[in-house]
Amino acid sequence: MLTKICSKCGKFYPASGSCCEKKRHKEYDLYRRDKESAAVYRSKEWSILTVQCKERCNGIDLYILMTEGRIVPGQLCHHIYELDEAPDRRFDINNLLYVSVKSHAAIHRIYLRDSYEKKILQKKLEKFLQIYVGR
């Protein structure tokens, strides 16, 4: 059986499974994420909206499709305009993009790098989403 080593706890676990992922997310919500954001991501409305976003984007990573023209499976919903800058759009499906974990990290690196680049990327993501979903 193939195994991996957990980067968090160092234990071996089956390659097809996970080790500390759920615990890690729970710890992130408890100790790092602000309480208002955690409440949004734990809400029933959010869980319904993420399913709708996945269906709307056909389960693919739209960032990779936009930047590289490749089709890659997505895994999570990304707020184009973050909760702290547009709290009124937290449950707006037109503010959500379905992306992979890798793309999500890349987007946030750009967001953190420079506010001007962040605004440009947000506009591009918003425009691409409108084109993709036909609005």
Side-chain angles (χ1 to χ4, degrees), residues 14 26 38 57 66 72 75 80 90 92 98 117:
K26 204 176 275 187
C57 299
M66 179 183 89
V72 174
Q75 293 147 322
I80 296 170
R90 66 183 173 269
D92 178 3
Y98 203 65
E117 284 184 48

Side-chain angles (χ1 to χ4, degrees), residues 93-110:
I93 196 157
N94 296 315
N95 187 38
L96 294 176
L97 192 70
Y98 203 65
V99 296
S100 65
V101 173
K102 187 176 178 181
S103 293
H104 194 242
I107 291 167
H108 279 281
R109 275 193 301 274
I110 294 168

Side-chain angles (χ1 to χ4, degrees), residues 3-4 9 19 21 27 33 43 47 55 66-67 69 81 83 88-89 95 106 110 118 122:
T3 60
K4 292 181 178 179
C9 69
C19 184
E21 188 173 324
E27 287 175 356
R33 180 177 280 153
S43 71
S47 55
E55 289 172 357
M66 179 183 89
T67 57
Y81 295 95
L83 292 177
D88 56 316
R89 295 191 68 188
N95 187 38
I110 294 168
K118 177 181 179 178
Q122 286 173 325

Side-chain angles (χ1 to χ4, degrees), residues 13-28:
Y13 66 93
S16 61
S18 63
C19 184
C20 294
E21 188 173 324
K22 287 186 180 184
K23 183 180 176 187
R24 188 182 74 216
H25 291 298
K26 204 176 275 187
E27 287 175 356
Y28 181 79

